[in-house]
């Protein structure tokens, strides 16, 4: 997950005001953004349909099920980090072996861990990730949502704006959504 590059408290290139501590989103706004993402995800799952989720092509040779597992695998890393922070614990190690150092190696590992899993399990886990994120946001103190230094892996962006502005879900939207939309349109 990569946070958007913008100066906090200054106008960005589009003339929109970047969020600061003074105008950071509330916990309720963050929860509403999570719910919007969850609803959009559910709509996409319905659009793809269970019958097509095992067809290759959603992302190269991967099936849509493989893509769900990929997105959920990376999101699980972020959720474990946030859960640890919410509970005052040190940042946990990634689920994958420490010998894996590149994104491609991690992606291959996530694929191998999930390729034989049942579709229902993979879809259920993706759905649960939204509930986990909402629970974590509820557990965090309000100031954790507006502190750009609280979660170093957000690269200087506070969690609240990362969720509300979409950077928290950027991996899906920026790297994969257009390919899935193209795949869906080709079949139409």
């Amino acid at each position: 997950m990569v946070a958007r590059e913008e100066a906090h408290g200054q106008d960005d290139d589009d003339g929109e005001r970047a969020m600061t501590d003074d105008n950071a989103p509330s916990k309720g706004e963050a929860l509403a953004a999570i719910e919007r993402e969850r609803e959009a995800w559910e709509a996409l799952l319905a659009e793809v349909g269970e019958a097509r989720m095992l067809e290759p092509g959603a992302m190269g040779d991967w099936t849509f099920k493989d893509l769900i597992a990929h997105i959920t695998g990376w999101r699980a890393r972020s959720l474990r980090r946030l859960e640890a922070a919410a509970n005052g614990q040190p940042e946990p190690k990634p689920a994958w072996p420490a010998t894996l150092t590149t994104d491609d190696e991690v992606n291959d590992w996530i694929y191998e861990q999930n390729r034989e899993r049942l579709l229902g399990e993979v879809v259920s886990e993706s759905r649960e990730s939204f509930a986990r994120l909402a629970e974590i946001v509820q557990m965090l103190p309000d100031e954790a949502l507006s502190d750009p230094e609280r979660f170093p892996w957000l690269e200087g962006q506070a969690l609240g704006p990362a969720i509300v502005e979409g950077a928290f879900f950027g991996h899906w939207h920026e790297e994969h959504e257009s390919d899935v939309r193209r795949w869906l349109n080709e079949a139409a």
Side-chain angles (χ1 to χ4, degrees):
M1 167 178 32
V2 177
R4 292 184 184 153
E5 293 180 354
E6 61 185 337
H8 293 283
Q10 299 177 12
D11 288 345
D12 64 18
D13 292 338
D14 296 330
E16 294 179 13
R17 184 120 175 105
M19 293 194 180
T20 65
D21 286 352
D22 295 334
N23 66 354
S26 68
K27 192 175 280 192
E29 290 169 318
L31 293 170
I34 295 166
E35 180 59 17
R36 283 190 301 276
E37 285 288 336
R38 186 199 64 75
E39 289 172 355
W41 184 251
E42 289 296 331
L44 178 67
L45 293 176
E47 184 179 353
V48 170
E50 194 170 307
R52 291 204 60 209
M53 289 186 187
L54 298 176
E55 292 177 11
M59 192 173 88
D61 292 334
W62 283 9
T63 66
F64 189 73
K65 180 197 114 179
D66 297 331
L67 179 59
I68 294 170
H70 167 80
I71 296 295
T72 305
W74 281 103
R75 184 174 297 154
R77 167 78 169 132
S78 296
L79 294 174
R80 283 190 297 277
R81 289 169 149 177
L82 291 171
E83 285 170 334
N87 292 310
Q89 298 172 349
E91 182 176 332
K93 294 179 181 179
W96 46 84
T99 57
L100 305 180
T101 58
T102 69
D103 287 351
D104 287 341
E105 290 172 335
V106 173
N107 290 340
D108 290 343
W109 183 87
I110 292 171
Y111 172 80
E112 288 300 324
Q113 297 301 304
N114 290 282
R115 71 185 178 108
E116 298 298 326
R117 290 179 65 204
L118 296 174
L119 173 62
E121 292 174 354
V122 172
V123 171
S124 179
E125 188 175 17
S126 78
R127 288 176 165 146
E128 290 169 8
S129 72
F130 291 98
R132 280 181 64 199
L133 178 58
E135 289 171 8
I136 295 164
V137 167
Q138 286 282 24
M139 290 172 35
L140 290 168
D142 291 343
E143 59 273 9
L145 297 177
S146 61
D147 181 356
E149 305 301 318
R150 180 74 178 248
F151 307 106
W153 63 91
L154 290 177
E155 300 174 358
Q157 186 171 23
L159 180 61
I163 291 171
V164 171
E165 294 173 0
F168 190 87
F169 303 100
H171 178 199
W172 156 245
H173 292 297
E174 295 167 15
E175 296 183 33
H176 303 298
E177 186 175 19
S178 64
D179 291 333
V180 170
R181 296 285 175 204
R182 190 171 19 264
W183 173 68
L184 286 169
N185 289 333
E186 287 171 0

